């Protein structure tokens, strides 16, 4: 199985901050990397697919980059509704695996 | 807009078979690039993919569960189901159904149900 490791596991930030979350795969996954946002009590929501493509309806303050083994999710200016847990997920092979999550909290 | 809704038992005993159904409305169920998948999340923990199936019967399972899991699709009713046998407390989780889009350039879960909590306890 491919292991997906996110860092940090949690972070505290203020409204307006630029936030970056990283995800590292245990082997190359090309650009088969997705990012999801999950708010408490809710299902995950797809933000970014294929490493850098913005899902329809998602704010342009979210962006993704990377290929191979190293990927980043960036929130350009953190908004109150962005406080949530973020997961990366590889789709290069079976089983599809998720990172352990990064919780973004209010400072 | 596509909507998915899980239904299932809520609480069950160890060694029983978990059966969940996901009803799909508001979109096409038979597209060539749409699979229908299950993902679970133990309370307070991360996400684990269980498996996905296309409307034509093509199936992917997580090898860690493959011996206990079966996913089926009923195109006449626009729903798909998960059976997980011999459950234990470690199967306690929120179970989500999701549309799993598989394209040449990308592959991911782009619509989700709200999730249903299944608790395994004696």
């Amino acid at each position: 199985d491919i292991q997906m490791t996110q860092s940090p596991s949690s972070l505290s930030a203020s409204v307006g901050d630029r936030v970056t979350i990283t995800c590292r795969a245990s082997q190359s996954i090309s650009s088969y990397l997705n990012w999801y946002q999950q708010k408490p009590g809710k299902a995950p929501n797809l933000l970014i697919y294929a490493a850098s493509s913005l899902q329809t309806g998602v704010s342009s303050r979210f962006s993704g980059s990377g290929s191979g083994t190293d990927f980043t999710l960036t929130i350009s200016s953190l908004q109150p509704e962005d406080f949530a847990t973020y997961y990366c997920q590889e789709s290069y092979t079976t089983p599809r695996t998720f990172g352990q999550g990064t919780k973004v909290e209010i400072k | 807009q596509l909507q998915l809704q899980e239904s299932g038992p809520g609480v069950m005993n160890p060694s029983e078979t978990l059966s969940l159904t996901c009803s799909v409305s508001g979109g096409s169920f038979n597209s060539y690039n749409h699979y229908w998948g299950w993902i679970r999340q133990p309370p307070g923990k991360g996400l684990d993919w269980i498996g996905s199936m296309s409307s034509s019967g093509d199936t992917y399972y997580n090898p860690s569960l493959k011996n206990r899991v079966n996913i089926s699709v009923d195109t006449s009713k626009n729903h798909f189901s998960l059976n997980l046998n011999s459950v234990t407390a470690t199967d306690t989780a929120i179970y989500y159904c999701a549309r799993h889009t598989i394209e040449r350039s990308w592959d991911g879960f782009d619509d989700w149900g709200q999730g249903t909590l299944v608790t395994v306890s004696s």
Side-chain angles (χ1 to χ4, degrees):
Chain A
D1 298 4
I2 295 176
Q3 307 303 315
M4 306 300 294
T5 304
Q6 291 181 230
S7 61
S9 295
S10 65
L11 64 90
S12 296
S14 300
V15 172
D17 284 353
R18 181 181 182 88
V19 170
T20 298
I21 299 169
T22 65
C23 178
R24 175 165 288 177
S26 59
Q27 65 183 73
S28 177
I29 58 171
S30 184
S31 295
Y32 288 92
L33 189 284
N34 306 315
W35 290 98
Y36 300 84
Q37 176 194 66
Q38 186 178 33
K39 296 181 180 180
K42 300 293 187 182
N45 181 51
L46 179 66
L47 298 177
I48 301 286
Y49 63 94
S52 61
S53 295
L54 191 68
Q55 174 70 342
T56 302
V58 174
S59 171
S60 58
R61 63 180 178 273
F62 292 94
S63 63
S65 64
S67 66
T69 60
D70 294 317
F71 302 86
T72 61
L73 173 70
T74 299
I75 309 172
S76 60
S77 177
L78 197 66
Q79 297 302 300
E81 60 267 31
D82 301 336
F83 292 95
T85 300
Y86 294 84
Y87 293 94
C88 63
Q89 176 245 325
E90 64 81 20
S91 54
Y92 186 75
T93 189
T94 296
R96 307 300 192 264
T97 55
F98 292 84
Q100 82 279 14
T102 295
K103 187 173 184 178
V104 176
E105 299 176 301
I106 301 172
K107 181 181 284 186
Chain B
Q1 183 179 353
L2 191 71
Q3 291 189 322
L4 299 94
Q5 178 67 58
E6 305 91 347
S7 58
V11 180
M12 54 190 311
N13 294 314
S15 79
E16 292 182 336
T17 295
L18 168 64
S19 294
L20 295 173
T21 296
C22 182
S23 299
V24 180
S25 61
S28 173
F29 196 70
N30 294 313
S31 297
Y32 74 97
N33 61 334
H34 289 157
Y35 283 61
W36 303 97
W38 292 95
I39 300 103
R40 68 181 182 178
Q41 184 172 37
K45 296 189 178 180
L47 299 160
D48 292 316
W49 173 71
I50 298 170
S52 301
M53 186 175 196
S54 71
S55 59
S56 61
D58 188 25
T59 308
Y60 297 93
Y61 289 127
N62 190 323
S64 68
L65 294 169
K66 188 173 183 179
N67 291 337
R68 296 199 291 133
V69 69
N70 183 67
I71 296 174
S72 59
V73 170
D74 188 335
T75 56
S76 67
K77 295 181 180 178
N78 274 22
H79 75 209
F80 61 106
S81 300
L82 169 71
N83 281 347
L84 181 67
N85 59 38
S86 304
V87 297
T88 70
T90 60
D91 295 309
T92 294
I94 298 170
Y95 285 76
Y96 295 101
C97 62
R99 186 175 72 178
H100 183 177
T101 295
I102 299 180
E103 298 272 12
R104 185 165 175 263
S105 60
W106 85 278
D107 170 323
F109 305 100
D110 54 354
D111 277 289
W112 296 64
Q114 65 185 23
T116 186
L117 175 62
V118 176
T119 302
V120 180
S121 174
S122 56

